[in-house]
Amino acid sequence: MTTHFSLGKGLAAGIAATLLAACEQAPSTTSDAAELRVDGSSTVFPLTREAVRRFERGALSGQIEVKFSGTAAGFRRFCAAETDISNASREINAEELAQCQANGVEFRVVPLAMDAIAVVVNPANTWVDEISVDELKKLWSPGAENTFNTWRDLREGWPNEPIVLFGRGQDSGTYDIFTQSIVGTTHSSRQDYQASEDEEFLANAIAAEPNALGFFGIGAYHRHWDELKLVAVDAGHGAVFPTLETVAQDRYQPLTRPLFLYVSQRSLAEKPMLGRFLSHYLDGLPGWIHFTGYMPLARDSYRNSMQALVKAP
């Protein structure tokens, strides 16, 4: 059974060539000259950064600052009226919504794409081709620090070697979705793992550690498909790899999730460039999103989002 994403090596190489440069950039420093500011999910960052690149390449004026600090940290800035768009890999929660309401920040939600959270290991790992949801729960639950520390602890027949864990940081929407889906409680997991909001750091670290296992958005795997090994996940109906087909068919469960843009309604009214940028982003996205490994929504979804944004008071 192949452990590579079903788009194939040729397209995976194209993905890397298209987006790696944008993703390797350090988050841009704050600039007073920036006309629009975007922060939030590092999973969504490559999509929005590519949209900005295409917008600017089209000689459409204006400076757009794009950062990633994690979905939760991005919402903190957004609800403090510090940004115009918040990239998000989960929906806003009740606490964040209350913060926005307290600060008078109204917003529009734009569904952007479908994503899968990938479970990956180092290519030197010859024993893990698939892993069950139950095994992932045992491995990542808070009490696992004293119980599941070697591969043999997790499954009989696997080697008596330490498992070195990597994953998204606790400001990450990916971490929230992963813990809710796998552990059963949002923001609850073992703490003895290497956490980072930077997917490039995690991918490189896993590629350097033979006993590594980690998780992040599928886009990071695509950018490093030749350095990582993708693991199929078994939720009780057979092991399934995250592919365009399995995500579309709702078969890669429970680690499939939507991605969003949260857009400031005040910024829409006061900054005309924001509407132009979003129109360019949503109109062009279906034509290039396949290079990222994420799955587009139906074109009607983007059209409906733009119509709602245009009608925003």
Side-chain angles (χ1 to χ4, degrees):
M1 178 181 293
T2 180
T3 59
H4 288 303
F5 187 67
S6 67
L7 287 178
K9 293 183 178 180
L11 185 51
I15 290 166
T18 302
L19 291 180
L20 184 56
C23 296
E24 285 183 335
Q25 294 179 8
S28 57
T29 56
T30 300
S31 168
D32 291 338
E35 189 169 347
L36 298 178
R37 290 184 170 87
V38 186
D39 198 355
S41 167
S42 64
T43 301
V44 182
F45 171 79
L47 288 171
T48 299
R49 183 65 189 88
E50 177 66 10
V52 169
R53 187 184 71 83
R54 289 171 180 264
F55 182 72
E56 293 174 342
R57 187 177 64 186
L60 299 168
S61 62
Q63 182 176 351
I64 305 176
E65 172 192 274
V66 188
K67 293 184 174 184
F68 63 84
S69 58
T71 295
F75 275 138
R76 286 195 291 271
R77 291 194 69 199
F78 183 74
C79 292
E82 296 176 5
T83 57
D84 305 291
I85 298 174
S86 199
N87 293 328
S89 60
R90 59 162 171 80
E91 295 181 350
I92 194 168
N93 64 34
E95 182 180 351
E96 293 157 347
L97 181 59
Q99 182 186 6
C100 275
Q101 291 172 339
N103 292 331
V105 175
E106 298 181 333
F107 55 81
R108 297 282 173 154
V109 183
V110 179
L112 192 64
M114 292 300 297
D115 179 33
I117 298 176
V119 177
V120 299
V121 295
N122 186 283
N125 185 317
T126 59
W127 54 93
V128 179
D129 295 314
E130 49 78 24
I131 193 166
S132 71
V133 170
D134 184 58
E135 287 170 331
L136 285 172
K137 181 175 183 178
K138 290 177 182 177
L139 182 60
W140 284 95
S141 292
E145 294 182 23
N146 300 315
T147 308
F148 296 97
N149 294 306
T150 71
W151 295 102
R152 185 176 296 176
D153 291 338
L154 197 58
R155 186 186 293 188
E156 185 177 353
W158 284 356
N160 188 27
E161 296 288 339
I163 302 177
V164 184
L165 294 173
F166 298 85
R168 295 299 307 279
Q170 297 185 18
D171 269 339
S172 164
T174 301
Y175 175 80
D176 289 343
I177 297 294
F178 184 84
T179 52
Q180 176 61 50
S181 301
I182 297 301
V183 179
T185 303
T186 302
H187 227 72
S188 174
S189 75
R190 66 191 298 165
Q191 298 299 303
D192 60 338
Y193 75 99
Q194 177 65 61
S196 177
E197 305 301 343
D198 188 343
E199 291 182 327
E200 295 304 302
F201 168 81
L202 291 174
N204 290 325
I206 294 168
E209 171 51 63
N211 279 303
L213 180 145
F215 69 89
F216 40 52
I218 191 69
Y221 166 73
H222 291 148
R223 296 190 297 273
H224 297 270
W225 63 271
D226 57 344
E227 303 171 280
L228 302 172
K229 178 180 174 181
L230 188 62
V231 177
V233 175
D234 187 348
H237 304 285
V240 177
F241 285 99
T243 70
L244 294 177
E245 293 78 15
T246 58
V247 170
Q249 297 164 4
D250 204 30
R251 291 173 49 218
Y252 184 68
Q253 291 297 335
L255 295 176
T256 294
R257 44 84 182 270
L259 305 175
F260 304 94
L261 300 178
Y262 281 72
V263 181
S264 165
Q265 194 156 298
R266 176 178 296 176
S267 297
L268 277 172
E270 297 179 352
K271 299 183 178 183
M273 194 179 81
L274 178 55
R276 295 197 300 272
F277 169 63
L278 290 170
S279 179
H280 191 269
Y281 192 162
L282 299 180
D283 186 57
L285 184 64
W288 54 262
I289 191 174
H290 57 286
F291 288 118
T292 71
Y294 300 122
M295 183 174 177
L297 306 175
R299 279 191 176 270
D300 284 349
S301 175
Y302 299 118
R303 189 177 301 113
N304 293 339
S305 291
M306 275 312 307
Q307 289 174 349
L309 291 171
V310 168
K311 294 177 182 178

